[in-house]
Amino acid sequence: MGLSKENVTGLILALASSVFIGSSFIIKKQGLRRAASAFGVRAGVGGYYYLLEPLWWVGMITMIVGEIANFVAYAFAPAVLVTPLGALSIIVSAVLADIILKERLHKLGILGCVMCIAGSFIIVIHAPKEEPITSVLQIWNMATQPAFLAYAGSVVVLVFILVFHFAPRCGHTNVLVFTGICSLMGSLSVMSVKALGTSLKLTFEGKNQLIYAETWFFVLVVAICVVMQMNYLNKALDTFNTAIVSPIYYVMFTMLTILASVIMFKDWDGQSFSTIVSEICGFIVVLSGTIMLHLTRDFERSHSFRGSMPTSPTLSVRLYAGNGDLLLKEDEENESPDNSC
């Protein structure tokens, strides 16, 4: 069945969004590296000198353009068409990381990427269609139902635990900590973005939704979530391999967003048992790919995985404190592995 004119517009915007967002990972990391070299303090250990680096801002603007394109795409095409295309940003960032940053992605990591993308597509292909929404108040009623309030409360509690307990202890050795914070906050931001996007669309159609306080509440939630996502995504990019961060962030973000949508919009109501099972199988494939990608980082460090063949080591910049002085030291990742969380 052919795509409608609106769906084609949404498809083009979604493709452009993936290219911009995938490229932004690489540009921002280059900016983080320059800032670390220039000022001696990395974003991964709490430094904010990257805000003075023009290249980082180029990456940030590129990402914003991609996010805007993605936001507008949802106004033209259904989520079942737009969401899977987010996986293309993984391919873009992985290819550019290999070419520009010289960050090797081994065959096991490539297999993990394929599994993540395949699992995500399975989930989205079997995702239910959304009911038409006629007012932001309708979304507000969905957001204040007990089930979703319980989910939102759980997300806030988990984020606090990750930020104040796990991040200081193992945020720099476990990629799931920083990406977990980004993904949890991202699931709430998407729900608010959907509400905000619907409000603007209805407003442009002549049904003013800006007069409702609920619309501006969703704007506040989006702002808070985006700021936290930006902060901890920077930490993740500065600490870990881009080719690992990108797929894991995409997978966790997609899973939590679909879960939030299922709870808030009751997407599984009326679906057949086989369809729900297919979605669960997609989750299992995604989780398997995520674990494989996480293990790849450790395998890259071991000599047994690399063999005796010489390779170009991936350099990581680490900050050390000695005699009160901060020293910036570059060391190869194939030295002794870090203590894991």
Side-chain angles (χ1 to χ4, degrees), residues 42 316-320 327-332 335:
R42 296 170 53 212
S316 61
V317 184
R318 298 172 185 261
L319 193 67
Y320 288 84
L327 303 177
L328 197 64
K329 177 181 179 182
E330 290 187 346
D331 63 296
E332 296 183 0
E335 292 178 356

Side-chain angles (χ1 to χ4, degrees), residues 142-197:
M142 296 176 182
T144 54
Q145 60 184 316
F148 187 75
L149 288 177
Y151 172 80
S154 300
V155 167
V156 172
V157 171
L158 285 173
V159 168
F160 266 89
I161 293 174
L162 287 172
V163 170
F164 295 107
H165 179 75
F166 287 103
R169 290 170 173 80
C170 55
H172 303 289
T173 58
N174 192 327
V175 68
L176 297 179
V177 175
F178 292 151
T179 53
I181 295 171
C182 294
S183 301
L184 287 166
M185 296 303 292
S187 67
L188 296 182
S189 69
V190 168
M191 297 300 103
S192 298
V193 164
K194 286 172 69 68
L196 181 58

Side-chain angles (χ1 to χ4, degrees), residues 29-181:
K29 184 152 188 177
Q30 285 285 66
L32 291 170
R33 286 182 172 182
R34 286 189 182 183
S37 300
F39 300 102
V41 181
R42 296 170 53 212
V45 293
Y48 293 93
Y49 288 103
Y50 60 83
L51 296 175
L52 302 176
E53 173 55 49
L55 186 59
W56 183 87
W57 283 106
V58 171
M60 193 64 201
I61 293 172
T62 303
M63 185 180 72
I64 292 173
V65 171
E67 294 293 350
I68 292 174
N70 191 60
F71 177 82
V72 177
Y74 280 102
F76 288 93
V80 70
L81 176 63
V82 177
T83 304
L85 297 178
L88 296 178
S89 64
I90 298 175
I91 300 173
V92 172
S93 62
V95 171
L96 292 179
D98 183 72
I99 297 173
I100 299 175
L101 301 180
K102 307 302 180 184
E103 294 181 351
R104 290 188 55 197
L105 184 62
H106 289 283
K107 293 181 179 179
L108 186 62
I110 295 174
L111 178 60
C113 285
V114 172
M115 292 178 65
C116 291
I117 295 172
S120 297
F121 269 107
I122 291 173
I123 294 171
V124 175
I125 287 172
H126 294 90
K129 294 182 179 180
E130 296 178 344
E131 294 294 329
I133 298 173
T134 58
S135 171
V136 69
L137 297 179
Q138 184 178 347
I139 301 179
W140 179 258
N141 291 333
M142 296 176 182
T144 54
Q145 60 184 316
F148 187 75
L149 288 177
Y151 172 80
S154 300
V155 167
V156 172
V157 171
L158 285 173
V159 168
F160 266 89
I161 293 174
L162 287 172
V163 170
F164 295 107
H165 179 75
F166 287 103
R169 290 170 173 80
C170 55
H172 303 289
T173 58
N174 192 327
V175 68
L176 297 179
V177 175
F178 292 151
T179 53
I181 295 171

Side-chain angles (χ1 to χ4, degrees), residues 6-22:
E6 286 196 345
N7 280 1
V8 170
T9 302
L11 176 62
I12 295 173
L13 287 169
L15 289 172
S17 171
S18 295
V19 173
F20 279 113
I21 292 175

Side-chain angles (χ1 to χ4, degrees), residues 255-272:
M255 288 177 55
L256 290 169
T257 298
I258 291 176
L259 176 60
S261 182
V262 165
I263 296 173
M264 183 170 172
F265 296 99
K266 300 186 182 300
D267 291 332
W268 281 353
D269 288 3
Q271 280 197 298
S272 65

